[in-house]
Amino acid sequence: MPINRREFVGLAAAGSLAPWVHAHAADAYPSKPITLVVPFTPGGSVDNSGRLMADRLSRELGVPVIVDNKGGAGGALGSAFVAKAKPDGYTLVVASQSTHVVNPAVNPNLPYDAVKDFAPITLIDRLANVLLVNASVPVQTFADLVKYAQANPGKLNYASAGVGSVSHLSMELLKTQARIHVTHIPYRGAGVALTDLLAGQVQLAWNNLSSNLPNIRNGKLRALAVAAPQRVPQLPSVPTFAELKLPDLNLTSWTGLAAPAHTPDVIIGRLYSAVRKVLQDPATQATWVERGMMVPEDVKPQAYQAEIVERIKFYQRIAKANNIVIE
């Protein structure tokens, strides 16, 4: 029923207009291009996931979804930019384990609060993590690695994407639980670490499967274990960490979407539904598997928020046990 000007003013004064405004905003959204901030430079797994989703989300929503790379400070600069953006659904961030879990766990001086400053939407993908060795290392299985490392303490070096990164924390947990001593060599990003791993300058690394699958397939790297709910179809002979009796290490990484805090629930719901529809498309699912990614289960916004909180606490425990902090 139409609302005349006098009724409109009266409703606004009484506070009764809010539900109508929100419903109208949902009907109108989106009416212009959406900026999707990737808080890393182009070429990495987070950028890859964001671009794949942006392309499909553009078609689903009927407006351009424009990827804007704002790299720097381990994802903190781009994430802080979105945290301070207008909460209208037109500026989103590709959230990752690095930006929304590990950074908060090890850096008390982040320019954003990963829980309070964002409205999580849902997951884009889950990524199996994989323990990798250079093909020259004389081990074929995880048991071989443990035996070799224990017989040669300190001889093996592992590469990480930097102090306080997912790869660093995960390897420190692995060292503790497998009772091995390998030396940490931090790099400025996963790309540089991978270059030296391939060259044999370092012997071990923990990284996501999607970025490393080509080099596993061509024999330059060897996968010893994967962190995934079950064995991944791309590496059917490689056991999960759960099978190796190391369940704490069996966590997937993930990529998701988030908006600034206080974005209206109806807009979050619209975006959530659009992403879920994209992920139910068989063509999308085939692309995800081809890229070494897993199609995530249906994770609603509240469940996504709860997983972020839970994982921050998990990595905080590892960081505290190993004296890892970034100032």
Side-chain angles (χ1 to χ4, degrees):
M1 181 170 57
I3 299 177
N4 64 39
R5 184 176 181 279
R6 181 175 296 176
E7 290 171 325
F8 187 95
V9 172
L11 284 169
S16 302
L17 190 60
W20 183 88
V21 170
H22 285 171
H24 181 70
D27 291 340
Y29 178 86
S31 59
K32 62 181 182 180
I34 295 168
T35 297
L36 180 58
V37 173
V38 173
F40 297 97
T41 54
S45 59
V46 176
D47 179 65
N48 177 53
S49 296
R51 289 179 184 277
L52 287 170
M53 180 53 68
D55 176 60
R56 289 157 175 79
L57 210 51
S58 293
R59 285 177 261 164
E60 177 61 30
L61 293 172
V63 298
V65 178
I66 302 165
V67 174
D68 183 9
N69 291 88
K70 292 184 181 296
L77 295 183
S79 299
F81 175 84
V82 175
K84 296 169 185 174
K86 186 177 180 181
D88 58 3
Y90 290 102
T91 305
L92 309 176
V93 68
V94 183
S96 71
Q97 289 257 122
S98 296
T99 58
H100 280 65
V101 174
V102 175
N103 281 356
V106 300
N107 188 345
N109 300 312
L110 277 182
Y112 61 89
D113 186 306
V115 176
K116 296 179 181 178
D117 290 345
F118 296 92
I121 298 167
T122 192
L123 295 183
I124 295 174
D125 58 43
R126 287 194 184 273
L127 299 170
N129 290 305
V130 58
L131 177 63
L132 300 163
V133 295
N134 182 278
S136 65
V137 180
V139 300
Q140 297 295 321
T141 67
F142 182 76
D144 290 343
L145 173 67
V146 172
K147 184 177 179 180
Y148 183 86
Q150 289 177 344
N152 299 275
K155 183 175 180 178
L156 296 177
N157 298 324
Y158 81 86
S160 81
V163 174
S165 61
V166 175
S167 50
H168 180 202
L169 294 173
S170 298
M171 283 297 296
E172 290 302 310
L173 180 61
L174 173 63
K175 285 168 59 177
T176 299
Q177 297 203 342
R179 299 178 184 177
I180 59 175
H181 173 55
V182 293
T183 304
H184 178 214
I185 308 295
Y187 287 81
R188 289 184 174 272
V192 189
L194 176 60
T195 298
D196 270 13
L197 178 64
L198 289 168
Q201 300 298 316
V202 288
Q203 293 76 46
L204 293 166
W206 176 288
N207 209 323
N208 65 74
L209 175 62
S210 62
S211 297
N212 295 280
L213 191 56
N215 287 309
I216 296 171
R217 285 173 169 165
N218 67 25
K220 293 180 180 179
L221 299 178
R222 187 174 299 127
L224 301 183
V226 294
Q230 55 272 325
R231 294 192 183 196
V232 297
Q234 298 90 345
L235 301 173
S237 64
V238 179
T240 68
F241 280 101
E243 291 178 78
L244 297 169
K245 311 302 181 187
L246 297 169
D248 289 346
L249 287 159
N250 211 47
L251 288 180
T252 59
S253 289
W254 44 250
T255 314
L257 294 185
H262 310 300
T263 299
D265 289 346
V266 287
I267 291 178
I268 296 298
R270 174 79 175 97
L271 290 165
Y272 159 80
S273 297
V275 172
R276 290 306 307 167
K277 189 169 181 181
V278 166
L279 292 173
Q280 289 162 4
D281 179 12
T284 296
Q285 294 180 356
T287 300
W288 264 225
V289 172
E290 179 186 347
R291 298 291 186 99
M293 300 149 60
M294 292 183 281
V295 177
E297 71 278 25
D298 184 358
V299 179
K300 293 180 171 58
Q302 285 186 333
Y304 187 13
Q305 180 87 311
E307 182 166 341
I308 290 171
V309 171
E310 179 184 347
R311 289 208 179 185
I312 289 172
K313 293 177 181 177
F314 175 80
Y315 285 108
Q316 280 175 333
R317 290 194 294 270
I318 300 173
K320 184 177 180 180
N322 292 280
N323 253 342
I324 299 169
V325 64
I326 297 175
E327 298 292 348

